[in-house]
Amino acid sequence: MDNYQAPLRDFRFLLEDVFDANQLWERLPGMSGVSTDFVRTVLEEGARIASRELAPINHSGDREGCEWADGTVTTPQGFRQAFTALGEGGWLSMNGNPDYGGQGLPKMLTVLIEEMFYSANTSLFLYGTLTAGAAYCIESHGTEAVKRRYLPPLYDGRWGGAMAMTEPQAGSDLGLIRTRAEPQADGTYRVKGTKLYLTGGEHDLTENIIHLVLARLPDAPAGTRGLSMFLVPKFLVDERGALGRRNKLRSLSIEHKMGINGSATSLMEYDEATGWLVGEPHQGLATMFTMMNYERLSVGMQGLGLSAIAVQSAGAYAQQRLQGRAPAGPVHPDESADPITAHPDVRRMLLVQRALVEGGRAFAILVGRELDLVRYADDDDEREQAAAFVGLLTPVAKAFLTDRGLDCCVLAQQVFGGAGFIVETGVEQFVRDCRIAQIYEGTNGIQAQDLIGRKVLRDGGATLSAFVDRLRAELPRDARHYAATTAEFDRLIAVTADLIERCEQDPNLAGAIATDFLELFGYTVYAWLWARMDACAGADEFGQAKRYTAQFYFDRVLPRADALVRGIRADSNALMAVPDAMF
Amino acid sequence: MDNYQAPLRDFRFLLEDVFDANQLWERLPGMSGVSTDFVRTVLEEGARIASRELAPINHSGDREGCEWADGTVTTPQGFRQAFTALGEGGWLSMNGNPDYGGQGLPKMLTVLIEEMFYSANTSLFLYGTLTAGAAYCIESHGTEAVKRRYLPPLYDGRWGGAMAMTEPQAGSDLGLIRTRAEPQADGTYRVKGTKLYLTGGEHDLTENIIHLVLARLPDAPAGTRGLSMFLVPKFLVDERGALGRRNKLRSLSIEHKMGINGSATSLMEYDEATGWLVGEPHQGLATMFTMMNYERLSVGMQGLGLSAIAVQSAGAYAQQRLQGRAPAGPVHPDESADPITAHPDVRRMLLVQRALVEGGRAFAILVGRELDLVRYADDDDEREQAAAFVGLLTPVAKAFLTDRGLDCCVLAQQVFGGAGFIVETGVEQFVRDCRIAQIYEGTNGIQAQDLIGRKVLRDGGATLSAFVDRLRAELPRDARHYAATTAEFDRLIAVTADLIERCEQDPNLAGAIATDFLELFGYTVYAWLWARMDACAGADEFGQAKRYTAQFYFDRVLPRADALVRGIRADSNALMAVPDAMF
C-alpha cells in the first residue's frame, strides 16, 4: 500500500479541458510564465516526489509514530530527509510570494500538488501545510523586515511553522482564550499561556519553528475582539536571520491519536516567551483567519487526497480479487472465480467513490480559480466578486471534501472485505488519517454555520445567487445534464429564499439545518461539475468512464439532495425541545 | 470513558410498554417462568456486570492488545477473570438449551444483554459470542452424545468456541474453500488446511477451544455444495468429558487490526487435526448457517452496542462542555459560555444518534420476538411465519445496525471535537471497534444481496408483504405518525413490486440496488418503530424525549428514504458500463 499513482490524466483533463486554465493564466498579469507544458511538468515532478519520497514512508510513519522525550519530539524515520527534499524542491513555497523567494504558482495547480502529497503521506505533508500557512500569514500581515527575515527560511523548509490557537477551555469558542502577552520596553512581548493541539508545534524536521500565537494584550476587551497575534520563534532570530538563544516555549507532551500518527500534536507551554506582534492589536482573529482560510481549503484537500488514494487502492484490489460469479454469468469462466468488479454492489461502491473523488477534485480547482482571481485579477470588481465566492466556497471545501472523504475511505475499506481491517493492507490508515480532517481547523459543524450564517444569510443570499448565475452561464445549453443541473440550481435558490425568511422568525433554524444546507450546496455544485465534465469528456475509455460516472452521479448520488431539502423544510421545534438532561 | 450506564429505563419501556413482552411470554409454553420482575432483575444484573466487570478493562484491553508467541495467545489483563465471571454467571448460555445446562431465556431479553456487553467491552464479549454460537450450532446439529459432551463446558465458559470458514482465497465465496477432511477407520476425520480470520481461534481464556471447521470430504462436489462441517477441539475430549492430548491445530499468527484489539484474530493451521462430522456430509454450509445467522444478529448488536455507548458518552460530554452561546441568547449567562447542547447543530448530531440507536434497539427486540416465536410457539403456522420473518430481518439487523452504528460512532466522536480524536477520550475506540462489524459475518453488501435476492425476489415479495401487513395491524390508527408510516409502507410495497418486474429483465439490477433497498427497508421499519414508541410514550421527561425524537426522526432522518427510492428507480446501465480497467 506504499504504492501511489498520481491521477495525472484526470488533472490534465480538468485543467485543460474542463476549466481551460491556460486561457485564464494568459490573461492574468502575474501568471504570464505559466503554460500548459510548464504545469504538466510541475505535476509530473510532484507526482514523482509523492510516489518516490513520501508514499514509501507513509505506512512506516504511522506504525512508528512520533516520540516525545523531555520536550523534544522525534519524527518517524525518513521524515526529516523527505521534508528537506520538499523544502529544497520548492514544494513548500508553491504559493509563496516571489519577492521573498516563493514560487507564486496558481492555486488551480497547487491544490492538485496538495492532493498528491496528502494522498502519499498526510502526516508528513501536514508539517509543510502549517509551514506554508504560517508563511502566508506573515506575508499578508508582517512588516517588511519580518517578511525578509522569516519568509525565505520558511519557504525553503529550513524552518517550520505552527498555529497556536486552541486552549483546554477554548476550542470552537476562541473568545475564551486566556494566554496573555505583556508588552516590553524593547517593543517585544512576553507571551504566557498553555496551548493545545499544535500540529507541528515541536519536531526535529527543521532548525527552527515559528509559532503564531493568539493571545490577549493587557488592555484587551473580553471575547474574540480582544485577541492579538504574536510571532513566537522556537529560537530567536537576529537581524541577519541567524539563530540565537532558545525561546521560552516548550512541548509538554504530544497526543496519542486515532490517526496522523507521524504528525506530532503538541501541548505547548509559553512561559514568558518572547514574541512579536503581527498585524494590528486586537485584530488577531482576523489576522489568524488569513492562515485559517488557507488551512481550511488545505484540510479539504487532505480529505480529498486520502479518499483519492483509498479509491485507487480499492479499484486495484477489486480488479485482482477473485470471488463469486457475475450475476449475468461468468466473466472469466477459465478462472476459479470472477474479479469482484463483476459484482454490481462492488461497482456501486467504487462508483460512489469515483463520483465523489473526481467531483471533489473538480470542486477544488473551482475554488483554486477564484483564489487565483482574488490574487492576480487586475479588475477590482472581479477581485471582489472572487473574494466573495472564496468566502462562500471555503467552508464547503473544508467540510464537504472531508465528510465525503471519510465516506469514500470507509467505502474503499469495505471493498477490501476482511483485509481492509488489517493494518498491513494500509487502507485502514487512510480512514484514521482522514477522520481528523472533519474536526480540526473548525469542525465541520462550524463550517456549516459559517456558510449559512456569514456567507448566505448575512447578504440575503446575494453571493450565492451570483455564484449560481456564474455557474449557469458556464454550462452549455446543449449539455446532456443541463436540465437536471439547472433544476437543482433553481431548487437551491428557492430553498435559500425560503430559509432567509424562516430564519428571521426562528433564531435556532440556521443552526438546525446548517449541515444539511452545506451538503445540499455541495451536491448541487457537484452536479454542475459532473455536467461540465460530461460535456468535456472525449471518446476514449477515459472519456467514457467520465460520462458513465456522470450518469451514475445524477442517478444514484444526487438524489441525496432530495432528502436534504425535505429535512431543511422541517422546523427546529422537536430539535430544541428535547430536555437537555435526556442527552 | 470506562464509565457505562446501561439504558435500563429504555429497555423497560421497550419490553413492557412498546412490545408488551409479558403477554407473549405468558402464552409461549417454554417461557412460563419468565416474568417482568424476573426480566428486570436479569437486566439489572447484566448492567452491573457490564459496568463493573467489562467496561473497566475495555480501554486497557485495546491499548494492550493480544500477544502471540509460538502458537499461544495472551489476552489483555483482566480478560480471563472477566470471561470466567461471564461463564460462571450463566451469561454465555443465556439462549442455551436447558436440557444441557442452558438458561433458555427469551431472545427479546438476551439481545439487550448482548447490547450491554458489546457497549462495555466488544473485544471481550466477542469470545463469548463465538462460544455461544458454536454451542448453538452443536445443539442444533450434534448427536446426543456430542451435545452431552460439549455443551455444558461451552455453556459455562470453561471452553470457548470458534468458527473456521474463511481461507485466503475464499472469503465471501466459500465455494473456493480448499481445506480437506479424510475419513478414518475409527469414524473420525483428519482435517488439513489453513483458515484465516478466526475470532477466538486461540487464546488463554479457557481450558479448551472447540473449532467448527468447514472442509471438503474426498468425494465432495466442487463449490458450496461440497462443504461439510467438522468439530475440531484444541484438546481431544474423552467420553467422560476429560481433556486428552493436544490436537494438531495451531495459531500461526494473529492479525494487527484497526480495532477490536483485545480480540485475538488467528491464522490457523489444521495439520491432519482430528475432527468429527457435525450434521450431514456436504451440508456444511447449511449447518454453519445456523451459527452464522445467530452471529449475524449478534454482530448487529455489536454495532448497536457501540453506538449506544458512543452516544451516551457524547451526550454526557455535550452537557458539561462550555463553548459559545445559544443562538437565542445565553442559557447560562453566569458561566463563561453555554453548554454545547445549546447549539442546534450539536443537538442535531445527538438526535440523529438517539433516533438511530433507540430505533435500532427497538428493531433488535422486534427480531428477538420473531426468534422467540420460531423457538417456542406451539402453532406450526406461527413458527413458519416467524422463521420467514427472521430470514427477512436478519440481513437487515446485521447490515443496518452496523452501518448506522458506525455513522453514530463517527457523529459521537464529532461531538467531542478535537478531544474525540485523542485516544484517552475513548470514543475513537468505539469507531474502530465498530468498523469491523460492517465487514465480518458476511459483508454488508452480501447481506443486502441476501435480502433482495433470497428473501424478497425469490418469493415474489410475499414474505415482505406479510411482514408489512403484520406491522400495519400493530399500529393504532389514531397514532400520531400513522399516516406517515403507512405511506412509507405503501411506497416500499410499490418499489418492491416494481423491482420484481425490472429484475426479471436485468440480471444486474438486484445487485445494483441491493444496498439502497436494504436501507430503504431499514428506514421504513424504523418509521413504524418510532410511530409505536411515540404512541406508547408517557407524559414524563423520558416520554417527552421519545416523542420529540420520534418527530425528529420523521422530519430529519426518514427523508433519506426519498433519496433511496429515487436511486432505486435508476437502471444499472451506467454502473455496469464503466470499463473495468478504469477502476
Side-chain angles (χ1 to χ4, degrees):
Chain A
M1 200 51 60
D2 294 340
N3 195 2
Y4 169 64
Q5 302 282 334
L8 293 170
R9 177 77 182 83
D10 203 35
F11 290 169
R12 290 200 303 269
F13 170 69
L14 290 168
L15 288 177
E16 298 171 20
D17 302 331
V18 177
F19 285 98
D20 198 4
N22 207 45
Q23 200 194 21
L24 182 71
W25 296 331
E26 278 176 3
R27 86 167 166 89
L28 293 182
M31 295 279 95
S32 54
V34 179
S35 68
T36 297
D37 278 352
F38 170 76
V39 165
R40 285 189 180 197
T41 306
V42 172
L43 287 169
E44 282 159 19
E45 184 59 17
R48 204 188 58 78
I49 298 268
S51 310
R52 297 204 197 159
E53 308 277 341
L54 305 189
I57 53 172
N58 184 40
H59 188 52
S60 58
D62 177 63
R63 273 196 316 255
E64 289 171 39
C66 295
E67 281 188 25
W68 183 97
D70 198 23
T72 69
V73 170
T74 308
T75 57
Q77 279 197 20
F79 270 41
R80 185 172 178 134
Q81 190 182 343
F83 189 82
T84 303
L86 285 180
E88 289 176 352
W91 300 103
L92 303 179
S93 65
M94 298 183 287
N95 297 112
N97 187 333
D99 294 346
Y100 306 93
Q103 313 284 317
L105 296 178
K107 198 77 192 177
M108 286 177 88
L109 164 61
T110 61
V111 287
L112 302 180
I113 308 280
E114 288 190 65
E115 181 199 316
M116 291 193 281
F117 291 173
Y118 281 121
S119 286
N121 196 323
T122 286
S123 283
L124 176 61
F125 187 54
L126 280 170
Y127 297 105
T129 303
L130 271 292
T131 301
Y136 185 50
C137 196
I138 290 168
E139 186 206 319
S140 306
H141 301 284
T143 62
E144 184 61 22
V146 163
K147 286 195 249 192
R148 295 262 163 235
R149 195 178 303 171
Y150 290 94
L151 287 182
L154 285 169
Y155 280 164
D156 67 14
R158 276 184 295 131
W159 298 356
M163 180 156 70
M165 304 173 62
T166 307
E167 299 179 8
Q169 79 293 345
S172 297
D173 185 354
L174 294 173
L176 301 175
I177 281 177
R178 291 182 195 146
T179 296
R180 309 199 69 83
E182 295 280 343
Q184 306 298 305
D186 63 356
T188 65
Y189 295 80
R190 290 274 167 84
V191 178
K192 188 168 173 60
T194 303
K195 293 283 185 177
L196 206 60
Y197 300 153
L198 267 86
T199 300
E202 177 56 47
H203 55 70
D204 59 357
L205 301 176
T206 57
E207 296 167 10
N208 201 3
I209 303 172
I210 309 305
H211 293 236
L212 297 178
V213 183
L214 277 189
R216 291 183 184 285
L217 289 167
D219 61 342
T224 52
R225 286 157 204 274
L227 299 173
S228 306
M229 198 176 84
F230 299 89
L231 186 159
V232 181
K234 178 177 168 183
F235 289 96
L236 299 183
V237 180
D238 75 14
E239 282 167 16
R240 290 164 311 166
L243 297 189
R245 70 166 171 82
R246 183 76 152 77
N247 201 354
K248 290 174 179 165
L249 59 159
R250 189 172 190 289
S251 167
L252 298 180
S253 64
I254 56 174
E255 304 290 351
H256 305 107
K257 307 188 299 293
M258 183 188 193
I260 54 165
N261 288 319
S263 169
T265 307
S266 271
L267 174 66
M268 293 292 306
E269 181 183 55
Y270 302 87
D271 185 15
E272 310 215 321
T274 302
W276 286 263
L277 182 69
V278 179
E280 298 301 311
H282 314 321
Q283 296 298 313
L285 202 64
T287 311
M288 186 61 90
F289 259 94
T290 304
M291 187 168 178
M292 279 290 276
N293 278 329
Y294 178 94
E295 306 290 359
R296 282 179 174 181
L297 174 57
S298 193
V299 171
M301 297 317 294
Q302 177 185 341
L304 181 66
L306 285 163
S307 55
I309 191 170
V311 60
Q312 175 175 114
S313 309
Y317 179 81
Q319 285 185 49
Q320 54 84 21
R321 173 70 173 168
L322 308 179
Q323 291 288 282
R325 290 297 184 189
V331 179
H332 294 297
D334 45 326
E335 301 272 5
S336 63
D338 290 333
I340 60 173
T341 48
H343 299 300
D345 187 61
V346 172
R347 299 179 79 86
R348 172 193 64 82
M349 292 193 278
L350 291 170
L351 276 177
V352 168
Q353 294 169 67
R354 275 185 82 99
L356 294 173
V357 167
E358 295 173 15
R361 186 176 289 139
F363 185 80
I365 295 177
L366 182 69
V367 185
R369 183 174 74 174
E370 300 307 316
L371 281 163
D372 287 337
L373 289 171
V374 172
R375 197 155 184 176
Y376 296 107
D378 50 7
D379 180 83
D380 285 350
D381 289 347
E382 190 175 20
R383 275 207 310 277
E384 199 178 312
Q385 177 76 290
F389 290 169
V390 167
L392 183 73
L393 296 175
T394 296
V396 184
K398 196 279 180 180
F400 201 64
L401 292 180
T402 58
D403 279 346
R404 299 296 78 72
L406 187 79
D407 292 350
C408 288
C409 289
V410 168
L411 271 177
Q413 187 182 22
Q414 194 71 15
V415 170
F416 279 86
F421 200 64
I422 305 300
V423 169
E424 286 76 5
T425 309
V427 68
E428 64 87 38
Q429 185 189 340
F430 304 141
V431 176
R432 290 185 290 103
D433 285 358
C434 191
R435 183 66 188 88
I436 186 61
Q438 302 171 289
I439 299 172
Y440 60 15
E441 303 304 324
T443 64
N444 286 0
I446 295 284
Q447 305 299 325
Q449 288 164 71
D450 177 47
L451 175 69
I452 187 71
R454 289 195 202 88
K455 311 299 172 58
V456 173
L457 295 178
R458 186 169 290 177
D459 72 0
T463 300
L464 177 75
S465 281
F467 179 68
V468 166
D469 288 345
R470 161 82 148 303
L471 297 187
R472 268 190 226 267
E474 286 189 64
L475 188 64
R477 283 187 170 270
D478 60 352
R480 190 193 327 263
H481 301 290
Y482 180 85
T485 304
T486 53
E488 293 297 324
F489 283 154
D490 294 343
R491 183 163 70 168
L492 177 65
I493 295 292
V495 165
T496 305
D498 179 53
L499 267 180
I500 290 168
E501 205 162 293
R502 290 162 58 219
C503 285
E504 277 178 23
Q505 313 301 319
D506 176 358
N508 292 308
L509 186 61
I513 55 75
T515 294
D516 285 6
F517 183 82
L518 186 145
E519 299 211 337
L520 175 64
F521 185 88
Y523 286 118
T524 303
V525 177
Y526 277 34
W528 178 84
L529 291 162
W530 272 112
R532 261 195 79 86
M533 289 192 275
D534 177 86
C536 298
D540 58 352
E541 216 172 39
F542 177 89
Q544 279 175 38
K546 280 284 172 204
R547 278 196 300 276
Y548 291 127
T549 308
Q551 187 64 51
F552 180 83
Y553 180 80
F554 280 91
D555 285 351
R556 301 289 300 271
V557 182
L558 183 57
R560 297 175 189 181
D562 291 12
L564 296 163
V565 168
R566 197 173 134 195
I568 290 168
R569 291 208 176 111
D571 61 42
S572 72
N573 296 348
L575 182 73
M576 300 310 296
V578 173
D580 262 35
M582 297 308 297
F583 287 120
Chain B
M1 199 50 61
D2 294 341
N3 195 2
Y4 169 64
Q5 301 284 334
L8 293 171
R9 177 78 182 80
D10 204 35
F11 291 169
R12 290 198 303 268
F13 170 69
L14 290 168
L15 288 177
E16 299 170 20
D17 302 332
V18 178
F19 286 98
D20 197 6
N22 207 46
Q23 198 194 25
L24 182 71
W25 296 332
E26 279 176 3
R27 84 166 167 89
L28 294 181
M31 296 278 94
S32 54
V34 179
S35 67
T36 297
D37 278 352
F38 170 75
V39 164
R40 285 189 178 197
T41 305
V42 171
L43 287 169
E44 282 159 20
E45 182 60 16
R48 203 188 59 79
I49 296 269
S51 310
R52 298 204 196 158
E53 308 277 341
L54 306 189
I57 52 172
N58 184 40
H59 188 51
S60 58
D62 177 63
R63 274 197 314 256
E64 290 171 39
C66 296
E67 281 189 22
W68 183 97
D70 197 25
T72 68
V73 170
T74 308
T75 56
Q77 280 197 17
F79 270 42
R80 184 172 179 135
Q81 191 183 343
F83 190 83
T84 303
L86 284 180
E88 290 175 351
W91 300 104
L92 304 179
S93 64
M94 297 182 287
N95 297 112
N97 188 333
D99 295 346
Y100 305 93
Q103 313 285 317
L105 295 178
K107 196 77 190 176
M108 285 177 88
L109 163 62
T110 61
V111 287
L112 302 180
I113 307 281
E114 288 190 64
E115 181 199 317
M116 291 193 280
F117 290 175
Y118 281 121
S119 285
N121 196 324
T122 287
S123 282
L124 175 62
F125 188 53
L126 280 170
Y127 296 104
T129 304
L130 271 293
T131 301
Y136 185 52
C137 196
I138 290 167
E139 185 206 320
S140 307
H141 301 284
T143 62
E144 184 61 22
V146 162
K147 286 194 253 193
R148 293 264 162 233
R149 194 177 303 170
Y150 290 95
L151 288 182
L154 285 169
Y155 281 163
D156 68 14
R158 277 183 293 131
W159 298 357
M163 179 156 72
M165 303 172 64
T166 307
E167 299 179 7
Q169 79 293 346
S172 297
D173 186 355
L174 294 173
L176 301 175
I177 281 177
R178 291 182 193 145
T179 295
R180 308 199 68 84
E182 294 279 342
Q184 306 297 304
D186 63 357
T188 66
Y189 294 80
R190 290 274 168 82
V191 178
K192 189 169 171 59
T194 303
K195 293 285 185 177
L196 206 59
Y197 300 152
L198 267 87
T199 300
E202 178 58 45
H203 56 70
D204 59 357
L205 302 176
T206 56
E207 296 167 10
N208 200 5
I209 303 174
I210 308 305
H211 292 238
L212 296 178
V213 184
L214 277 188
R216 292 185 184 284
L217 291 166
D219 61 341
T224 51
R225 286 158 204 273
L227 299 173
S228 306
M229 198 176 85
F230 299 88
L231 185 160
V232 181
K234 178 176 168 184
F235 289 97
L236 299 182
V237 180
D238 75 14
E239 283 167 17
R240 289 164 313 167
L243 297 188
R245 72 167 169 82
R246 183 74 153 80
N247 202 354
K248 291 174 179 164
L249 61 157
R250 190 179 141 78
S251 168
L252 298 179
S253 64
I254 59 173
E255 305 289 351
H256 306 106
K257 308 188 297 294
M258 182 187 192
I260 53 166
N261 288 318
S263 167
T265 308
S266 271
L267 174 67
M268 294 292 306
E269 181 183 54
Y270 302 86
D271 185 16
E272 310 216 322
T274 302
W276 285 263
L277 182 68
V278 178
E280 297 301 311
H282 314 321
Q283 297 296 315
L285 202 65
T287 310
M288 186 62 88
F289 259 93
T290 304
M291 187 168 177
M292 281 288 278
N293 278 329
Y294 178 92
E295 306 289 359
R296 283 179 173 180
L297 174 57
S298 192
V299 170
M301 297 317 295
Q302 177 185 340
L304 181 66
L306 285 163
S307 54
I309 190 169
V311 61
Q312 174 175 113
S313 310
Y317 179 80
Q319 286 185 50
Q320 55 84 20
R321 173 70 172 167
L322 308 180
Q323 292 288 283
R325 289 296 183 190
V331 179
H332 294 296
D334 45 326
E335 300 272 6
S336 63
D338 289 334
I340 59 173
T341 47
H343 299 298
D345 187 62
V346 172
R347 298 179 80 86
R348 173 194 62 85
M349 291 193 279
L350 292 170
L351 276 178
V352 168
Q353 294 169 66
R354 275 186 83 99
L356 294 173
V357 167
E358 295 173 15
R361 186 176 288 139
F363 186 80
I365 295 177
L366 183 69
V367 184
R369 182 174 75 173
E370 300 308 316
L371 280 163
D372 287 337
L373 289 170
V374 171
R375 199 156 185 178
Y376 298 107
D378 52 6
D379 179 85
D380 286 350
D381 289 347
E382 189 175 22
R383 275 208 310 279
E384 200 178 310
Q385 177 76 290
F389 290 169
V390 167
L392 182 73
L393 296 175
T394 296
V396 184
K398 196 279 179 181
F400 201 63
L401 292 180
T402 59
D403 280 346
R404 297 297 77 74
L406 187 79
D407 293 349
C408 289
C409 289
V410 168
L411 271 178
Q413 187 182 21
Q414 194 72 15
V415 170
F416 280 86
F421 200 63
I422 305 301
V423 168
E424 286 77 5
T425 309
V427 68
E428 64 87 37
Q429 184 189 342
F430 304 142
V431 176
R432 291 185 290 103
D433 284 359
C434 192
R435 183 66 188 89
I436 186 60
Q438 302 170 290
I439 298 171
Y440 60 16
E441 303 304 325
T443 65
N444 286 0
I446 295 283
Q447 306 300 325
Q449 289 166 71
D450 177 48
L451 175 69
I452 186 71
R454 289 195 201 88
K455 311 298 172 56
V456 173
L457 296 178
R458 186 169 290 175
D459 71 0
T463 299
L464 177 75
S465 281
F467 179 67
V468 166
D469 288 346
R470 162 78 148 307
L471 296 188
R472 266 190 226 268
E474 286 189 62
L475 188 64
R477 283 188 170 269
D478 60 352
R480 189 193 328 262
H481 301 290
Y482 181 85
T485 304
T486 53
E488 293 296 324
F489 283 154
D490 293 344
R491 183 163 72 167
L492 177 65
I493 295 292
V495 165
T496 305
D498 179 53
L499 266 181
I500 290 168
E501 206 165 291
R502 289 162 59 217
C503 285
E504 276 178 23
Q505 314 299 320
D506 176 358
N508 292 309
L509 187 62
I513 54 77
T515 293
D516 285 5
F517 182 81
L518 185 144
E519 300 212 336
L520 175 64
F521 184 88
Y523 286 117
T524 303
V525 177
Y526 277 35
W528 177 84
L529 292 161
W530 272 112
R532 260 194 80 87
M533 288 191 277
D534 177 84
C536 298
D540 59 352
E541 216 172 39
F542 177 89
Q544 280 174 36
K546 281 283 173 205
R547 277 196 302 276
Y548 290 127
T549 308
Q551 188 64 51
F552 181 83
Y553 180 80
F554 281 92
D555 284 351
R556 301 288 302 269
V557 182
L558 184 58
R560 298 176 188 181
D562 291 12
L564 296 163
V565 168
R566 195 171 136 197
I568 289 168
R569 290 207 177 112
D571 60 42
S572 72
N573 295 348
L575 181 73
M576 300 310 294
V578 173
D580 262 34
M582 298 307 298
F583 286 119

